[in-house]
Amino acid sequence: GAVVAGGGSSSPTTTPTTPTQLFSAGFAAQTAGNPKLAATYYSEVLLKYPKEANAAYDLGVAEGSLGNAAAAEAAYRRALAINPRMTSALFNLADAQSGTNPEAAIATLRRLLKILPKDADTQFNLGLLLARHGKLAEGQALLAKAIATDPSLHVPSDIKLPASAG
């Protein structure tokens, strides 16, 4: 079906049809606070160009903004099926998984850490999950590494780091 823009002055004057136009329309909708319309545009990109990892990723962001965790997770998985090393999709997939499936989130963050072994945000998020889900020592070690790299990170009060950490 054709993509129909919503009303208002930010509406395109023509219906976007090329990948660039659809991406632009999706980005504009997302920026304007309309993730539902953005998801429509990104879905249209994927219908016409099923190997567009960025469209799948952006669809995940839009679905996440709408509170559609399962749809967001599916979109991130689709982006990763196209580009297995898309770090933003791995990070967001882990975030989407963390509330309902912490073991899957841990596995996803371990995968991301293999690609970005010194990334403080990945170390920090993985450390939190590990510490809260039965692997305290490993979690504390990763948290300490993350904080050493980025001192602006702060461990929540429910997790204690050993005195020697940091």
Side-chain angles (χ1 to χ4, degrees):
V3 176
V4 179
S9 61
S10 63
S11 296
T13 55
T14 61
T15 301
T17 56
T18 69
T20 302
Q21 291 170 340
L22 290 163
F23 272 121
S24 295
F27 181 77
Q30 190 83 16
T31 303
N34 190 344
K36 186 173 183 178
L37 182 59
T40 300
Y41 285 124
Y42 298 135
S43 294
E44 188 75 14
V45 171
L46 289 166
L47 284 173
K48 293 179 178 190
Y49 309 94
K51 297 292 184 188
E52 287 289 337
N54 290 328
Y57 170 80
D58 289 339
L59 177 60
V61 172
E63 292 291 358
S65 296
L66 292 166
N68 300 334
E73 188 174 327
Y76 295 134
R77 287 186 185 284
R78 182 171 181 176
L80 290 164
I82 299 163
N83 178 359
R85 295 180 60 87
M86 182 180 253
T87 56
S88 55
L90 282 165
F91 195 87
N92 285 14
L93 174 60
D95 187 52
Q97 294 169 322
S98 64
T100 57
N101 191 345
E103 290 303 317
I106 287 169
T108 300
L109 286 170
R110 286 188 192 281
R111 183 174 156 196
L112 179 57
L113 202 57
K114 286 180 182 175
I115 299 169
L116 301 172
K118 296 180 181 181
D119 183 64
D121 290 330
T122 302
Q123 292 170 340
F124 189 80
N125 286 347
L126 180 55
L128 287 177
L129 280 169
L130 290 168
R132 289 181 172 147
H133 296 283
K135 296 185 167 107
L136 183 61
E138 185 184 0
Q140 289 172 325
L142 277 169
L143 289 166
K145 272 178 143 177
I147 291 167
T149 302
D150 182 354
S152 72
L153 296 170
H154 297 286
V155 177
S157 59
D158 65 315
I159 298 172
K160 301 296 180 217
L161 292 182
S164 61

